[in-house]
Amino acid sequence: MTPPAAPAVLNRPLRWRAPSPAACAAACAAPRFIDLCCGESLPRQAWQTRQELTQGLLAEAASVSPKFFYNALGSRLFEAITALSEYYPTRTEAGIFKAACPQMAQALAQAGLPHPCLIDLGAGNCAKALSLIPQLAPRQYVPVDISVDFLKDAAGQVQNCFPALDIVGVGMDFSAGLALPAEVQADDRVFFYPGSSLGNFQPAQALAFLRHIADPAQGRARGLLLGIDLVKDTATLEAAYDDALGVTAAFNKNLLRNVNTLLGTDFDVRQWRHVALFNAAQSRIEMHLEALSALSVSWPGQTRRFRAGERIHTESSYKYTLEGMTALLRQAGFRQVQHWSDPQNWFAVFWAAV
Ligand code: AVI
């Protein structure tokens, strides 16, 4: 498949046009979809989940992985978070894409990638990629997400808007490895990882993940477009994770309801308080749930006692400096690194070429 109107560095325009709304409405092509989420049998997956949750809850410093935020309600609450005035990352990143997309397309073209295979990690509703596709002109678009049904719908909508674009949706948990199916083009791969999701990894894990993407035997990336949140004053950071309406508090507490469903615990969300704080020494926002009084939580075969004020760590969201992220990308094997930022330097989008 050849995308319309090839962008070029020199004398051709970098834009190609989205089809008209009439063409979108008329189109009915369905993208290919490969579901790799079902590698393990469902009972085995459920057993592994219970093991992981039990281990975290019984640890001296109790923790639950942030992946357990995202049940159906949690995904909606996260969408609501992105619309909050306090949660600046989403709109700031969107502003950077809007302002710098032509330069991004040019950087890709200069790296010999005028029509990349665009691999969208954690694609969700594909909205961020949708805004870039007209200018990045991918030969193939590969949205990847663990939330299979949601992604199928979203990929279908992208296909309706770009009927001639080769789309391969992939349902997989890429945090567990990036073995993409054979249907994904091996050449000219550009990974797209927006939203500062890399910040939810510990720095050592983030480095390993970036290395994996850049590795010619694994991710085979030629380049990476990465959105990352930057260090800033504590008040702005803490407000973004503890908003006045209490949406982030509900998002955090909903994790306990999800754990009740998955593990059979008897958490009562009214006995827990949302805590968000910036740990400057570690350069991360931490989210916790704090017990309002001494209490016990039970599930089949186990009980955990919590003292009043004892916490369950639910998320870390690392904040980087421009220099720190540049160094991390270089350490991971990306040789050319550049970035675009907003006027306040609150957020940055990096282009890193292997
Ligand atoms: C998904 N991730 C990048 C968000 C963040 O900012 O770390 C998750 C989030 N947690 C609370 N608010 C948003």
Side-chain angles (χ1 to χ4, degrees):
M1 201 271 336
T2 306
V9 193
L10 295 175
N11 48 14
R12 275 183 292 161
L14 280 168
R15 275 162 208 276
W16 60 287
R17 287 213 179 109
S20 68
C24 283
C28 57
R32 286 180 284 168
F33 200 92
I34 295 139
D35 185 358
L36 301 177
C37 289
C38 303
E40 299 276 8
S41 68
L42 285 177
R44 178 151 181 86
Q45 275 179 35
W47 180 83
Q48 284 172 341
T49 298
R50 289 196 298 270
Q51 289 292 106
E52 181 183 345
L53 288 168
T54 296
Q55 207 181 359
L57 287 174
L58 293 180
E60 201 184 328
S63 66
V64 174
S65 163
K67 71 184 173 196
F68 296 107
F69 285 136
Y70 300 96
N71 61 359
L73 178 58
S75 299
R76 288 191 180 173
L77 287 168
F78 179 66
E79 260 191 315
I81 286 172
T82 64
L84 291 169
S85 56
E86 294 96 331
Y87 193 75
Y88 59 84
T90 310
R91 65 170 181 280
T92 310
E93 183 183 53
I96 298 170
F97 283 135
K98 199 169 172 200
C101 191
Q103 289 107 291
M104 292 174 192
Q106 198 154 12
L108 265 73
Q110 276 166 348
L113 296 160
H115 301 300
C117 165
L118 188 66
I119 301 172
D120 186 356
L121 298 177
N125 61 11
C126 303
K128 290 177 185 173
L130 255 183
S131 69
L132 299 183
I133 285 172
Q135 301 215 42
L136 299 190
R139 187 174 305 282
Q140 188 177 60
Y141 173 58
V142 183
V144 181
D145 208 292
I146 194 171
S147 188
V148 172
D149 293 335
F150 196 67
L151 184 63
K152 275 185 185 161
D153 286 353
Q157 283 169 28
V158 178
Q159 189 78 84
N160 281 348
C161 282
F162 300 97
L165 179 59
D166 179 20
I167 300 182
V168 181
V170 181
M172 73 187 279
D173 177 5
F174 57 82
S175 67
L178 249 182
L180 290 164
E183 287 80 354
V184 177
Q185 199 180 298
D187 300 333
D188 293 352
R189 287 183 176 178
V190 168
F191 285 80
F192 178 51
Y193 198 26
S196 202
S197 295
L198 188 76
N200 294 131
F201 287 111
Q202 307 279 340
Q205 291 174 327
L207 176 60
F209 186 66
L210 292 172
R211 280 198 169 127
H212 194 78
I213 288 177
D215 187 336
Q218 304 200 44
R220 306 180 61 123
R222 295 274 314 278
L224 166 70
L225 265 179
L226 173 76
I228 201 81
D229 197 12
L230 301 176
V231 178
K232 59 188 63 61
D233 67 280
T234 299
T236 303
L237 282 169
E238 290 187 346
Y241 291 83
D242 193 7
D243 60 278
L245 286 174
V247 180
T248 311
F251 174 71
N252 199 7
K253 288 183 200 169
N254 177 62
L255 171 139
L256 298 180
R257 293 241 169 107
N258 194 21
V259 175
N260 283 348
T261 305
L262 296 169
L263 184 60
T265 40
D266 56 359
F267 278 110
D268 176 352
V269 295
R270 287 166 302 190
Q271 296 179 314
W272 297 83
R273 175 174 94 86
H274 166 67
V275 176
L277 55 92
F278 183 55
N279 177 336
Q282 306 250 34
S283 196
R284 68 186 193 196
I285 281 280
E286 294 176 6
M287 296 214 311
H288 301 263
L289 288 160
E290 184 177 288
L292 290 173
S293 59
L295 55 87
S296 294
V297 176
S298 299
W299 62 101
Q302 304 283 359
T303 294
R304 163 85 197 232
R305 282 181 226 294
F306 289 91
R307 297 179 303 276
E310 198 172 352
R311 292 174 177 173
I312 302 173
H313 187 173
T314 53
E315 184 176 56
S316 293
S317 191
Y318 284 83
K319 308 301 168 189
Y320 286 86
T321 59
L322 292 170
E323 301 72 31
M325 183 46 72
T326 303
L328 195 72
L329 287 163
R330 292 229 165 90
Q331 217 183 329
F334 293 92
R335 278 179 294 176
Q336 279 175 3
V337 181
Q338 67 183 102
H339 70 268
W340 297 269
S341 185
D342 57 291
Q344 301 186 95
N345 267 349
W346 277 9
F347 199 95
V349 175
F350 281 82
W351 163 243
V354 174

